[in-house]
Amino acid sequence: GILQHPDGTVLKQLQPPPRGPREQEFYNKVYDSDCCDSILLELREYLPKYFGVWSPPTAPNDTYLKLEDVTRKFNKPCIMDVKIGQKSYDPYASAEKIQQQVSKYPLMEEIGFLVLGMRVYHVSSDSYETQNQHYGRSLTKETVKDGISKFFHNGYCLRKDAIAASIQKVEKILEWFEGQTQLNFYASSLLFVYEGSCQATTVRLSDVTLAEKRGVPKGLLSGGDILEYNNNIHVINSTENGKIEASVSKGLSKFYALHKKAYSKRHHSQLSLKVENLEQDNVWKSSTCITQEHLNGNVIPQLEKVFCHMPAEIKESANVEVRMIDFAHVFPSNTKDEGYIYGLKNLITVLQNILDN
């Protein structure tokens, strides 16, 4: 398995030849300090950072790849490993190896990917749910959408922000594959990671402010005195002007931090959000029903219900990582990697269907 090094990296033991040396050679080529190939330089963006090889002093013959720990910055990382491509065997595989791989998941060629496992943090129970490779292999063309949506459900709601951000990341990787004919990847995976903890989840505005996105007069987002209550949030529903004002104190500032354009520096620890014409938007209707009594002692669940269903257009990318991993079967090529491209496109379609429905 993967080991953690005290310096914050992870150690992946080198596999027996030819797989291990092939993976090491791949990393060495991509991360060569003299590399000037634009295709490989861009590829670095989609891989864990590589820090060479490492051997323990007590076992100098054991070799490990020293890699960035993609999950390290997360408080409650939700992790999913998805093998990509129509074939999980390389061009040099024996007939026996091919038969073995095909029999593991006969739908690989049709679906183009396989869920190898997932670990999802449930806010409601403060615990993780884990699924292994048998879960992924049980998914059919009809059930794969529901199977993957399970990864993005935190016990309260579907994390649409994480899905939208994941789609954007996978689309960038697809763009890279569409533009390169140097390498073909077999039995390689995408590692998905998003923040499952409420306190560490950020809902941000993009460079276009909320006012511009939703057609709200800009003056409504200007600074002003913010009400602060001991239970961290106070919601006012004004029937006179249809505004809702929420004040989130320091303890939850990381949870729903707005873009710096949307609040003044003197209120940097708080969120002030005012939206007009609530009745025009069903998403915000639910928030007008929240009363002070409902929120007392139950802040996070109520906030989850409101913010997990915020329209995607007013969200910046959630705290999500999607990285390519496992390169024991990467080979030089002079054609596009159509099998991997097929898998990426199909995965994007499934993710988009989850988001839309």
Side-chain angles (χ1 to χ4, degrees), residues 160-336:
K160 290 195 171 187
D161 59 326
I163 301 171
S166 296
I167 291 172
Q168 290 177 358
K169 303 261 185 188
V170 178
E171 283 176 340
K172 291 292 290 181
I173 294 172
L174 175 60
E175 281 180 28
W176 182 84
F177 271 91
E178 293 279 20
Q180 71 90 24
T181 56
Q182 294 186 31
L183 299 168
N184 279 5
F185 294 73
Y186 302 92
S188 185
S189 290
L190 289 184
L191 187 72
F192 290 77
V193 190
Y194 73 87
E195 180 56 68
S197 168
C198 287
Q199 288 82 352
T201 302
T202 56
V203 177
R204 299 167 180 261
L205 294 180
S206 62
D207 288 337
V208 182
T209 66
L210 177 63
E212 291 167 326
K213 285 277 190 178
R214 302 186 62 80
V216 178
K218 290 183 182 180
L220 288 177
L221 286 175
S222 60
D225 292 333
I226 297 176
L227 299 173
E228 186 171 348
Y229 284 76
N230 291 333
N231 67 339
N232 291 332
I233 183 165
H234 179 61
V235 175
I236 304 169
N237 184 20
S238 170
T239 54
E240 292 178 7
N241 55 20
K243 294 179 186 177
I244 183 170
E245 179 178 295
S247 167
V248 180
S249 76
K250 193 171 183 179
L252 296 175
S253 61
K254 285 187 178 180
F255 186 9
Y256 298 125
L258 283 180
H259 191 277
K260 61 185 178 183
K261 288 183 181 180
Y263 62 94
S264 62
K265 288 182 180 178
R266 63 197 175 100
H267 294 137
H268 68 275
S269 66
Q270 297 178 316
L271 156 67
S272 178
L273 178 64
K274 300 180 182 180
V275 181
E276 259 192 339
N277 303 322
L278 292 174
E279 293 305 313
Q280 296 176 9
D281 195 326
N282 288 333
V283 174
W284 292 102
K285 279 182 184 176
S286 61
S287 63
T288 65
C289 300
I290 300 174
T291 65
Q292 185 70 27
E293 290 73 23
H294 289 144
L295 287 167
N296 280 327
N298 200 20
V299 176
I300 297 301
Q302 294 296 339
L303 285 173
E304 280 282 355
K305 289 173 184 176
V306 174
F307 282 88
C308 281
H309 296 92
M310 283 175 68
E313 68 267 19
I314 69 165
K315 291 181 185 176
E316 193 181 62
S317 293
N319 196 3
V320 172
E321 291 286 353
V322 179
R323 304 288 185 94
M324 297 168 62
I325 58 171
D326 297 338
F327 306 111
H329 302 277
V330 179
F331 296 91
S333 173
N334 54 14
T335 61
K336 283 188 181 181

